[in-house]
Amino acid sequence: MPVFDDYTNVAERRKAENRRRLIKKIITAVSVSVAAVLVVAVAAFAVVNFSHPQTLTKQGADSVSELSESNKMITSVCSVVQYRSACVTSVKNSIGAEGSSAAAKPQEVVKAVIKAAVDEQQEAAKLLETLKAGDEMHKTALSDCKELMLYAVDDLRSTLSTVTGHDASSLSHITADLRNWLSGVLSYQDTCLDGLKDGDLKARMQHGLANATQLTSNALAIVTQFSSILSQLQIPEAIAKEIGGHRRLMSDGDGDSFVDDVDDNDDFPEWMPSSDRRLLKAAETKIPAHAVVAKDGSGNYTTIGAALAGMPKNRSGRYVIYVKAGIYDEMVTVEKDMVNVTMYGDGSRKTIITGSKNFIDGTPTFRTATFVAIGDGFIARSIGFSNTAGAAKHQAVALRVQSDRSSFLNCRMDGYQDTLYAQTHRQFYRSCVITGTIDFIFGDAAAIFQNCMIVIRKPLPNQQNTITAHGRTDKNEPTGIVIQNCKILADKKLLQDRLKIPSYLGRPWKQYSRTVVMESIIGDLIRPEGWLPWDGDFALDTLFYAEFNNRGPGAAVDKRINWKGFKVIKDRAEALKFTAEKFIDGASWIKATGSPVRLSLFD
């Protein structure tokens, strides 16, 4: 059973179970009726065509059996989704040309739903070409939508191509990747809409995205519940294999310090080339770089953007850029085709990438980021990312990350509102410093912050601080923000007024916002209630906020809010679900980044 079911209120689970039982009874009754009609029709057909009774009876029986199995498969798979009519229609439309026998395989139903989502996403992209904006802000927002739609189509195609060729049992091994990509698609769709102001333009885009969003949600639900579906269908070879597969667990081998730490453990995955192992085992100052950036001209390039532009096309292996000490005032993007880039500096206070774009001056939040990491497998070490717009400029992002399996070690992210946009996919932050005021760690990624210092700064008058604002829009998304073994404290300029200015662990940006703070030191600046509403009672029943085994003057939970979605975790087994090994499939990739990591709990 998926872990999400554990978060639901017991009464709600019982209601849901009763609904499922009722639906099952209705489906069974309808299926029996349909089968009876078909049997009568076959019998009549056999009587009329008495000259070949055995052959025709066999053909009729095969047809009934095939249709029955097909309907059973479609019904079973589509029973777990929110948009059932769209699910059934998409599957039947997809397999119509192939014959109903194709739908007797659960993986074919999954494939059909994803293919339909791809088609609808492409239609939404075409719609954008017909929309016109009346002002610069909306022109930029529509441009952002076009880019986001391309990312969505790409993730959907990755999902479809990965599913293709897998049978029901082997599909279980790739569930983590499938859920990761599908969650990214939902995030891109929602980010597009967030950039548009309320009005006709946004309404048209919402309408155009509706089918794509529903089908993506359906695909995510099916993938999430796949093992349960197979169990109901009594496919034993698939039931024996757990969702996500079985991977060898690497040892932790790291310390618990909050300062720059290194890991001497060289237990890298077997698939990793020996050249990459040697590269990641080397000390930062000894890593051989393909490109050196230096403002004083002592390197190959004077800007980071030029170094990225100079990357060879169609290269293999990891590409390393060393950025010497200096302040680099430039907007940098590691594009989608720039995969496996490592960028390291001389220290997060010495090598600093800075910018000042912000919402107040007319730039949508999505475009304010000083540094953007899109290409998968991005690694940053000992670099500072900063947005100097200041608190008065509101949303001003220092770092935006959508790179899957990205890692940040000994880095610093400085800003005020919206400092770190952990947008999508799996991310890991170790021994970093993140500063800000309002929602300064936000997004819809599956992100773990380990051994980090989270520093709350002094906001504008009459403002209050919130560390996190997670953006999960679908309950089946495997995303969330996990703060583990970190320190939450006040910046020196806030220190004197820290008890006067309200500060909270987070607030729910979206309907299914999920944030877990565990094994961390929480300073006294965090209010006793701990968490802040977004707008009235919005998402208070559907969010998942949790705390486990924290310490410090702000860690007491006896006066925490009493929302339905909040809980204090007491069961160690439940807390393990939010560790690096479980939550972001960390055993399969984090060690390969060269970052130390605690895969399990610290205590």
Side-chain angles (χ1 to χ4, degrees):
M1 181 176 291
V3 298
F4 302 100
D5 289 345
D6 297 339
Y7 309 149
T8 310
N9 181 274
V10 173
E12 292 298 319
R13 287 203 301 268
R14 288 174 178 170
K15 290 179 182 179
E17 181 61 30
N18 289 336
R19 286 195 296 269
R20 283 194 293 270
R21 289 174 179 172
L22 177 60
I23 291 170
K24 187 175 180 181
K25 289 179 180 179
I26 293 172
I27 291 171
T28 301
V30 172
S31 298
V32 170
S33 299
V34 171
V37 171
L38 287 171
V39 169
V40 171
V42 170
F45 190 77
V47 170
V48 173
N49 297 276
F50 60 91
S51 59
H52 302 287
Q54 292 181 342
T55 302
L56 293 174
T57 301
K58 183 178 185 301
Q59 290 174 341
D62 287 346
S63 177
V64 171
S65 176
E66 186 177 273
L67 185 59
S68 177
E69 286 300 312
S70 174
N71 286 336
K72 178 183 177 182
M73 184 62 63
I74 296 173
T75 299
S76 296
V77 174
C78 290
S79 68
V80 302
V81 307
Q82 181 178 356
Y83 308 101
R84 298 187 182 183
S85 176
C87 179
V88 172
T89 300
S90 64
V91 174
K92 289 187 175 180
N93 287 344
S94 177
I95 67 172
E98 302 174 17
S100 59
S101 60
K105 299 177 182 179
Q107 66 272 19
E108 292 301 326
V109 179
V110 176
K111 181 180 174 182
V113 174
I114 297 171
K115 185 179 183 303
V118 173
D119 294 340
E120 289 296 339
Q121 189 63 57
Q122 290 175 327
E123 288 300 313
K126 291 178 182 177
L127 172 65
L128 280 167
E129 301 300 327
T130 69
L131 299 179
K132 304 296 181 183
D135 55 56
E136 286 302 316
M137 184 71 88
H138 266 128
K139 286 180 181 178
T140 304
L142 285 179
S143 177
D144 293 343
C145 280
K146 290 178 182 178
E147 180 179 334
L148 289 161
M149 293 305 99
L150 291 177
Y151 296 145
V153 170
D154 190 66
D155 272 7
L156 282 169
R157 285 175 174 168
S158 294
T159 307
L160 182 60
S161 63
T162 303
V163 168
T164 302
H166 283 80
D167 58 21
S169 59
S170 65
L171 200 60
S172 299
H173 291 289
I174 57 173
T175 299
D177 285 337
L178 300 180
R179 296 181 69 203
N180 169 61
W181 292 323
L182 291 168
S183 295
V185 174
L186 290 173
S187 178
Y188 297 140
Q189 294 166 347
D190 196 59
T191 302
C192 165
L193 296 175
D194 280 342
L196 299 169
K197 297 177 183 177
D198 289 336
D200 180 65
L201 191 63
K202 184 170 184 174
R204 290 180 65 188
M205 196 63 220
Q206 282 178 319
H207 179 75
L209 272 172
N211 288 342
T213 300
Q214 289 184 13
L215 289 169
T216 303
S217 174
N218 285 348
L220 179 60
I222 292 169
V223 170
T224 301
Q225 301 273 9
F226 197 65
S227 64
S228 175
I229 293 170
L230 294 179
S231 178
Q232 292 176 11
L233 293 170
Q234 297 181 341
I235 304 178
E237 65 271 21
I239 300 171
K241 300 181 180 180
E242 297 179 1
I243 287 290
H246 299 282
R247 293 182 173 91
R248 182 173 61 87
L249 187 65
M250 299 179 188
S251 59
D252 290 348
D254 68 313
D256 297 350
S257 66
F258 291 97
V259 298
D260 293 3
D261 47 8
V262 295
D263 188 11
D264 294 325
N265 192 327
D266 64 352
D267 187 14
F268 293 109
E270 294 180 1
W271 51 261
M272 191 175 196
S274 58
S275 59
D276 278 6
R277 296 189 197 191
R278 289 194 299 271
L279 172 67
L280 294 172
K281 283 176 63 178
E284 289 182 357
T285 55
K286 296 180 181 179
I287 294 178
H290 297 95
V292 177
V293 182
K295 290 184 70 67
D296 60 8
S298 61
N300 309 108
Y301 303 93
T302 57
T303 67
I304 300 166
L308 286 167
M311 287 175 56
K313 302 297 182 183
N314 302 318
R315 78 192 190 287
S316 60
R318 183 160 287 277
Y319 193 80
V320 181
I321 300 174
Y322 166 40
V323 186
K324 288 187 175 183
I327 298 177
Y328 297 83
D329 189 354
E330 56 178 307
M331 309 294 287
V332 179
T333 299
V334 180
E335 301 288 356
K336 188 169 182 62
D337 60 346
M338 298 176 179
V339 298
N340 296 326
V341 172
T342 292
M343 191 175 295
Y344 72 97
D346 287 323
S348 63
R349 293 278 198 168
K350 296 179 180 179
T351 299
I352 301 172
I353 307 168
T354 186
S356 59
K357 283 194 175 182
N358 60 85
F359 183 80
I360 291 298
D361 288 343
T363 303
T365 305
F366 181 73
R367 288 293 176 192
T368 63
T370 299
F371 191 100
V372 180
I374 301 175
D376 289 348
F378 178 76
I379 298 173
R381 301 171 72 170
S382 300
I383 293 179
F385 305 92
S386 176
N387 191 310
T388 60
K393 296 296 185 178
H394 295 188
Q395 296 96 325
V397 178
L399 173 66
R400 175 164 66 87
V401 184
Q402 67 184 75
S403 170
D404 190 25
R405 294 179 175 176
S406 53
S407 171
F408 296 81
L409 173 64
N410 299 337
C411 290
R412 187 179 180 98
M413 301 86 182
D414 287 314
Y416 284 86
Q417 183 172 349
D418 293 359
T419 303
L420 172 57
Y421 189 176
Q423 186 182 358
T424 56
H425 302 136
R426 293 162 288 198
Q427 305 175 16
F428 182 69
Y429 300 80
R430 174 76 180 213
S431 300
C432 293
V433 177
I434 306 104
T435 71
T437 55
I438 299 172
D439 307 336
F440 62 97
I441 301 175
F442 76 109
D444 191 25
I448 290 186
F449 297 83
Q450 202 171 88
N451 285 37
C452 292
M453 292 182 67
I454 298 173
V455 183
I456 302 177
R457 305 177 79 170
K458 190 171 184 177
L460 294 174
N462 301 316
Q463 283 187 337
Q464 47 201 0
N465 294 316
T466 47
I467 297 173
T468 65
H470 191 247
R472 190 167 65 142
T473 60
D474 190 294
K475 66 180 180 179
N476 287 309
E477 288 185 69
T479 60
I481 294 171
V482 177
I483 297 173
Q484 182 187 23
N485 199 48
C486 294
K487 283 184 177 178
I488 298 173
L489 64 160
D491 179 72
K492 61 182 180 180
K493 291 185 178 180
L494 175 63
L495 200 57
Q496 185 176 349
D497 296 323
R498 71 188 187 284
L499 301 181
K500 299 177 184 178
I501 298 174
S503 295
Y504 303 89
L505 296 173
R507 59 177 183 157
W509 181 26
K510 300 293 181 179
Q511 189 75 44
Y512 294 95
S513 177
R514 178 160 62 174
T515 302
V516 178
V517 181
M518 61 185 190
E519 301 183 300
S520 295
I521 297 174
I522 303 177
D524 61 1
L525 75 166
I526 296 298
R527 286 295 174 97
E529 56 268 36
W531 306 82
L532 183 70
W534 183 273
D535 183 15
D537 61 357
F538 169 75
L540 302 188
D541 289 347
T542 53
L543 60 77
F544 181 77
Y545 283 165
E547 298 180 51
F548 171 74
N549 206 20
N550 295 309
R551 54 203 186 279
V557 295
D558 56 315
K559 295 182 180 179
R560 288 292 196 252
I561 41 82
N562 61 352
W563 305 338
K564 181 180 178 181
F566 171 76
K567 72 180 303 183
V568 177
I569 297 176
K570 298 180 180 179
D571 182 7
R572 183 180 174 85
E574 183 171 2
L576 284 168
K577 297 173 184 176
F578 301 101
T579 57
E581 192 273 325
K582 296 287 186 181
F583 195 61
I584 55 175
D585 196 28
S588 70
W589 66 274
I590 296 178
K591 286 286 183 178
T593 70
S595 177
V597 58
R598 176 74 71 174
L599 292 173
S600 186
L601 296 170
F602 279 79
D603 296 330

